[in-house]
Amino acid sequence: MFPWKHFRPPRKARLRVPINTPCSPTHIRLLSAGGPKQPGTKAPRKRLPDKINYNADTFTDMNDVDHANFKRVTSNDLASYTEPPTEVKMLVRDFIEDSLYNPHYGYFPKQVNIFTATETIDFASLRNTVQFQDEVARRYAGYGLDETGPGRQIWHTPTELFKPWYGRAIAQCLVSEYLLKYFPYEDFSIYEIGGGNGTLARDILDYIQEEYPDVYDRTRYNIIEISENLANLQREKLCSKHPCVTVTNQSIFHWEKVEPAPSYFLAMEVIDNFAHDMIRYDLRTLEPYQGVVVVDGNGDYSTLYARVTDPLISSFLSLRRRLSHSPSIPRLLRSSSTLRNIYTSLPFAPNLSPPEFIPTRLLSLLRTLRKYFPRHRLLLSDFSSLPDTIPGVNAPVVQTRYQNTTVPCTTLFVKPGYFDIFFPTNFEHLRDMYEDILSQPVSLADTSPRASPLAGGASPLSVGAGFFSSYHPKNRRTPTDGIASSSGLPVGERKSNVFTHAEFMEAYADLAKTRLRNGENPMVDYYKNVKFLF
């Protein structure tokens, strides 16, 4: 007996092609899945037939004995594979991570082109948003048309659409905080993950160099980039003009160097591509089950559910319970075992709750920040909601570009490397997680504290910052002993807040630079589904 849960009834996965797409569904043909080929292997593999649907129609197509003998792998194990694997099983987050970031066939290393505006858009010359959209479309057309097969995956960011004014708004936010807290006693240390083609870093540094030359002299800009191609592009674009830039070609999840000084950490349009795990709850017992992707010898995918054994999933569920964030089960079913028994006894009723995608890799990032950047300030921006998601709670959008048309899918389990997989973020829950993790103690061995000109005279063995008062503001973190806040008093750093895209831009951007002739402002009016955490 194997500890697997089979969900009933199964759902047949399919690609969803818009009606106006100039191709029939049979044209969505992908390359064969192949098998686990290690670098240097000379023996040729049998090529699997092309197909449209890489998912088994039912969970009974595969015997328990078959998947029980398959090798359990992680995304780190698959990093050396030159083709997508077969006869393996893995957690959903490992499948997503391998699909997006595998250096040999992953979506980001092999498929993505970031839309790059060669010239700044002259917003004052455009009559309204219709003309602005036409101008963006004209620049997109410069990339040419895709004649056959899955085309180049081109996507844009607000950094490119509103350059340099978007980057300057980010710079103004960071400089304002730095001048208030640390100048001139500490260096202005900035870390950015997922720096793209380097446009945001360049716009930030250009602004600081022009407007705050004294701050620029103390600036250190560090980019942590997982893609080797993008890391090389960033060095080429930035390092000669701004010698203060350092580019590290490494995953943030493999970071092991402690930054004891105050720092600002940027994660702009990054966490939406962080891998999630998939869980479902037994509707009778409310026990969570972790989703496991099984890839058979033909490259077909099946999903099985096992009791939660993964430490990262367990940690996330424990954190969610501590924060009183409810699981994705209707309140009435959660509160009454009788109702659950009645519901699950109904004909055709499912025995598991709908799939829920939980941000386990985001939890890993927050822990990394807590451990290796103990005095950081996080500025993060991403999608708070998304259209065209696949079925499920907190589900992602899975899409590709085919013959110049974006094609959304209704399943996560598609050919690795050809599809973008990106998730929305519940920013209110993220804020609660972030503040809770920062409140956890970190050992002195982890933080490697150093003397700071702004540090107080207290030590970790002293009576503590709250000796003279029992009052502590709710919008402030617990004071770190020996480290003063921006006010010079031991009241703790200000907690993070959530802002809409418009609120953040209205606070820090020079909106006159992006205003159209009729008064509309696309840098404020666009990206309604984006929020900031700061």
Side-chain angles (χ1 to χ4, degrees):
M1 180 66 67
F2 298 94
W4 302 99
K5 275 276 182 183
H6 292 124
F7 172 65
R8 65 173 194 273
R11 179 185 180 91
K12 184 175 181 179
R14 63 191 184 278
L15 285 173
R16 182 168 62 228
V17 183
I19 295 176
N20 61 350
T21 301
C23 60
S24 68
T26 56
H27 289 156
I28 311 292
R29 296 175 60 210
L30 307 176
L31 299 177
S32 59
K37 182 179 179 181
Q38 302 291 344
T41 302
K42 296 182 179 180
R45 291 189 53 85
K46 179 181 178 181
R47 191 174 183 85
L48 298 177
D50 289 348
K51 59 182 74 177
I52 300 172
N53 190 353
Y54 274 76
N55 297 271
D57 287 342
T58 70
F59 291 98
T60 59
D61 290 341
M62 183 182 303
N63 295 325
D64 282 345
V65 176
D66 291 338
H67 72 73
N69 295 327
F70 289 168
K71 180 182 178 181
R72 182 70 174 264
V73 296
T74 67
S75 58
N76 289 334
D77 299 328
L78 298 175
S80 61
Y81 283 44
T82 58
E83 297 178 10
T86 57
E87 297 186 1
V88 296
K89 55 189 175 184
M90 67 193 90
L91 291 171
V92 169
R93 76 165 179 267
D94 291 306
F95 174 81
I96 296 173
E97 211 157 73
D98 182 61
S99 298
L100 293 178
Y101 301 110
N102 184 285
H104 301 287
Y105 53 79
Y107 176 79
F108 282 100
K110 297 301 179 183
Q111 298 294 330
V112 168
N113 286 275
I114 301 175
F115 170 77
T116 303
T118 55
E119 298 178 0
T120 300
I121 296 177
D122 184 5
F123 292 91
S125 67
L126 302 177
R127 184 172 60 254
N128 51 31
T129 55
V130 174
Q131 277 199 349
F132 170 72
Q133 292 170 353
D134 291 341
E135 176 64 19
V136 173
R138 183 185 66 80
R139 298 186 180 211
Y140 258 96
Y143 282 90
L145 300 177
D146 299 320
E147 300 298 333
T148 59
R152 291 165 298 172
Q153 308 302 305
I154 303 173
W155 42 271
H156 63 76
T157 65
T159 299
E160 291 292 344
L161 284 185
F162 305 115
K163 62 187 266 189
W165 315 117
Y166 182 86
R168 289 179 171 234
I170 302 299
Q172 183 60 56
C173 172
L174 299 180
V175 170
S176 299
E177 287 284 313
Y178 171 70
L179 290 174
L180 178 65
K181 290 183 177 182
Y182 302 118
F183 181 79
Y185 303 104
E186 298 275 9
D187 285 344
F188 188 24
S189 181
I190 304 173
Y191 285 82
E192 181 186 3
I193 58 171
N197 55 15
T199 300
L200 179 64
R202 184 190 61 193
D203 291 343
I204 290 174
L205 291 170
D206 286 349
Y207 178 75
I208 298 173
Q209 188 177 38
E210 295 170 11
E211 302 295 332
Y212 300 93
D214 292 339
V215 173
Y216 181 80
D217 290 340
R218 306 214 58 167
T219 298
R220 294 185 291 116
Y221 203 104
N222 308 274
I223 300 178
I224 304 172
E225 177 59 58
I226 191 173
S227 168
E228 183 178 1
N229 293 335
L230 290 178
N232 292 332
L233 178 61
Q234 292 156 11
R235 294 187 186 101
E236 180 182 344
K237 178 180 286 189
L238 297 169
C239 292
S240 59
K241 184 177 181 181
H242 298 289
C244 60
V245 173
T246 301
V247 180
T248 303
N249 181 204
Q250 183 180 357
S251 169
I252 183 60
F253 301 117
H254 299 157
W255 190 265
E256 293 183 346
K257 181 180 178 181
V258 175
E259 171 58 274
S263 58
Y264 294 88
F265 202 92
L266 290 178
M268 313 301 289
E269 299 91 41
V270 171
I271 65 170
D272 58 305
N273 287 119
F274 276 10
H276 287 48
D277 274 291
M278 184 170 68
I279 63 169
R280 303 178 92 156
Y281 286 88
D282 187 318
L283 291 179
R284 287 185 180 272
T285 65
L286 298 186
E287 181 181 6
Y289 283 75
Q290 62 189 25
V292 176
V293 182
V294 180
V295 190
D296 67 13
N298 295 320
D300 288 322
Y301 301 121
S302 294
T303 313
L304 301 175
Y305 298 90
R307 289 183 171 87
V308 174
T309 58
D310 178 69
L312 188 56
I313 296 177
S314 298
S315 296
F316 178 85
L317 296 178
S318 297
L319 175 60
R320 183 160 72 174
R321 287 191 294 268
R322 186 165 69 248
L323 297 175
S324 300
H325 294 167
S326 301
S328 58
I329 303 173
R331 183 176 59 84
L332 289 177
L333 292 182
R334 293 201 311 267
S335 61
S336 173
S337 59
T338 303
L339 284 178
R340 293 199 299 270
N341 289 331
I342 294 174
Y343 177 75
T344 54
S345 299
L346 295 174
F348 306 109
N351 59 334
L352 295 178
S353 66
E356 180 185 5
F357 295 87
I358 57 175
T360 42
R361 272 307 187 192
L362 179 56
L363 176 58
S364 296
L365 172 67
L366 301 183
R367 287 178 167 177
T368 298
L369 295 179
R370 180 69 179 100
K371 183 175 182 180
Y372 296 110
F373 303 87
R375 299 182 63 191
H376 76 276
R377 183 72 190 273
L378 176 63
L379 175 56
L380 183 151
S381 178
D382 227 303
F383 298 109
S384 58
S385 62
L386 289 169
D388 295 324
T389 60
I390 66 174
V393 179
N394 196 41
V397 173
V398 182
Q399 66 183 26
T400 190
R401 187 169 179 259
Y402 182 81
Q403 294 188 359
N404 310 297
T405 301
T406 298
V407 182
C409 307
T410 59
T411 177
L412 174 66
F413 306 112
V414 290
K415 170 72 175 179
Y418 284 96
F419 294 82
D420 193 5
I421 303 171
F422 55 106
F423 294 82
T425 297
N426 186 319
F427 271 74
E428 288 67 31
H429 286 185
L430 168 59
R431 177 193 57 205
D432 295 344
M433 290 170 52
Y434 178 58
E435 294 298 334
D436 182 87
I437 290 172
L438 289 187
S439 69
Q440 304 303 315
V442 176
S443 68
L444 293 178
D446 291 334
T447 58
S448 300
R450 65 162 177 80
S452 167
L454 294 181
S459 73
L461 301 179
S462 68
V463 293
F467 177 75
F468 296 101
S469 174
S470 60
Y471 171 73
H472 182 66
K474 291 182 178 180
N475 65 341
R476 296 263 175 181
R477 298 172 187 148
T478 303
T480 302
D481 199 14
I483 298 177
S485 70
S486 59
S487 67
L489 300 175
V491 294
E493 294 291 344
R494 181 165 53 89
K495 290 184 177 180
S496 294
N497 290 312
V498 176
F499 305 92
T500 65
H501 180 85
E503 289 172 342
F504 187 89
M505 290 299 138
E506 288 169 351
Y508 295 107
D510 185 356
L511 297 181
K513 302 296 186 181
T514 55
R515 187 172 292 117
L516 307 182
R517 278 162 37 197
N518 69 344
E520 295 177 309
N521 200 317
M523 193 159 75
V524 174
D525 299 334
Y526 280 46
Y527 295 99
K528 299 286 188 183
N529 61 335
V530 167
K531 289 185 177 180
F532 282 79
L533 178 75
F534 184 64

